[in-house]
């Protein structure tokens, strides 16, 4: 009887610990009534929970902890990093989940950038495969660093992890502002990652391509097979942090 009430989502929010769930983008949430999800400022997605159509996977938005690290609001039981209360809507067990430390095969700077790429992958709903495409691209283009460009003087005014010199390409994905927008946007890890994944979603059939081919379809590199060597690392990184 208690489990029945739990699924129906009619117990007080402070005492409900519903079944957890994961939506297509990889974001984690809880199975509760759509009405309860809406009142808690969450978003419901069908097809990931038992019960009738009124019970759906409720996920919450992005968040930033007190140290300025970005993460997602999710049930504390699903967080493999650090949780922080008071940063998210919903009941008390929905907290801001952030991860720190090095990801497999990456140093601390690369890990920070990889997490920013993965956050954009979640926001764009490209799932684990999209995460892998983003990581292989970032590794090949910049060794997962935000690169300014000595030929683009404006780029030097923004935070960067190194300096490149390839035409007018800047940022993690070595995007050229004349094609990808402003220098500022291309130098911003979150904005440039969003640009990358928006472009990826426009590639017909990218989900069924090899990881390297999907990356090449966005980047159109002169070295079309260069991305393949990063697939194993990207798989490990996304498994650990996505």
């Amino acid at each position: 009887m208690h489990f029945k009430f739990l699924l129906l989502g009619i117990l007080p929010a402070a005492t409900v610990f519903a079944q957890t769930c994961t939506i297509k983008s990889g974001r984690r949430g809880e199975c509760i009534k759509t009405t309860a999800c809406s009142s808690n400022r969450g978003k419901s997605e069908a097809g990931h929970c038992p019960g009738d159509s009124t019970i759906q996977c409720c996920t919450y938005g992005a968040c930033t902890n007190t140290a300025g690290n970005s993460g997602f609001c999710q049930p504390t039981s699903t967080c493999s990093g650090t949780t922080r209360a008071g940063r998210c809507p919903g009941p008390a067990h929905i907290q801001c989940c952030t991860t720190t430390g090095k990801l497999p095969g990456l140093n601390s700077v690369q890990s920070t950038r990889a997490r920013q790429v993965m956050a954009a992958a979640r926001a764009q709903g490209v799932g684990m495969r999209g995460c892998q495409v983003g990581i292989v691209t970032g590794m090949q283009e910049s060794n997962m660093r935000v690169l300014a460009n000595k030929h683009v003087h404006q780029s030097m005014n923004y935070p960067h992890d190194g300096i490149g010199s390839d035409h007018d390409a800047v940022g993690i994905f070595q995007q050229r502002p004349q094609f990808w927008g402003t220098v500022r946007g291309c130098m911003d890890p979150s904005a440039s990652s969003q640009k990358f994944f928006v472009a990826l979603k426009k590639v017909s059939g990218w989900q069924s391509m090899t990881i390297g081919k999907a990356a090449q379809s966005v980047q159109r590199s002169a070295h079309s097979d260069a991305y393949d060597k990063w697939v194993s690392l990207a798989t490990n990184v996304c498994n650990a942090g996505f």
Side-chain angles (χ1 to χ4, degrees):
M1 183 66 73
H2 178 270
F3 181 69
K4 178 180 177 181
F5 288 154
L6 182 74
L7 281 181
L8 289 175
I10 58 177
L11 291 177
T15 61
V16 172
F17 290 90
Q19 176 177 328
T20 60
C21 50
T22 305
I23 63 174
K24 289 177 287 187
S25 68
R27 189 173 297 186
R28 297 172 178 83
E30 56 181 351
C31 295
I32 61 174
K33 271 187 169 291
T34 55
T35 51
C37 182
S38 177
S39 66
N40 287 331
R41 292 182 288 160
K43 181 179 180 181
S44 297
E45 183 172 303
H48 307 284
C49 296
D52 59 38
S53 61
T54 66
I55 304 295
Q56 296 185 10
C57 189
C58 181
T59 57
Y60 302 85
C63 58
T64 303
N65 66 14
T66 52
N69 298 316
S70 59
F72 288 96
C73 297
Q74 62 191 65
T76 54
S77 62
T78 66
C79 180
S80 59
T82 302
T83 59
R84 176 69 65 178
R87 314 293 290 187
C88 296
H93 69 285
I94 302 297
Q95 296 186 13
C96 186
C97 176
T98 57
T99 53
T100 58
K102 297 177 183 178
L103 291 165
L106 303 182
N107 62 32
S108 57
V109 171
Q110 292 171 319
S111 296
T112 295
R113 301 311 180 199
R115 287 191 174 96
Q116 291 169 314
V117 171
M118 288 189 283
R122 293 190 196 99
Q124 288 297 322
V126 294
M128 181 64 75
R129 195 163 188 82
C131 174
Q132 294 169 336
V133 176
I135 297 300
V136 300
T137 305
M139 290 301 299
Q140 174 59 30
E141 298 296 345
S142 67
N143 202 27
M144 198 56 72
R145 297 173 297 157
V146 176
L147 296 182
N149 190 313
K150 65 182 182 181
H151 303 306
V152 184
H153 299 301
Q154 185 183 349
S155 69
M156 305 294 285
N157 296 328
Y158 298 103
H160 52 275
D161 308 315
I163 300 173
S165 59
D166 183 14
H167 295 85
D168 60 342
V170 300
I172 293 175
F173 297 99
Q174 289 292 275
Q175 294 162 334
R176 302 180 68 180
Q178 60 178 306
F179 303 116
W180 288 89
T182 64
V183 174
R184 178 180 181 179
C186 294
M187 286 292 293
D188 180 274
S190 297
S192 63
S193 297
Q194 296 283 350
K195 292 174 187 287
F196 175 83
F197 290 118
V198 167
L200 176 65
K201 291 195 292 185
K202 293 179 180 178
V203 176
S204 178
W206 71 268
Q207 299 94 330
S208 59
M209 294 178 182
T210 64
I211 300 298
K213 184 177 180 180
Q216 168 65 6
S217 296
V218 176
Q219 298 297 101
R220 301 180 183 180
S221 171
H223 307 285
S224 60
D225 59 350
Y227 302 99
D228 294 332
K229 64 179 177 286
W230 299 110
V231 172
S232 178
L233 181 144
T235 300
N236 291 336
V237 167
C238 291
N239 284 341
F242 188 65

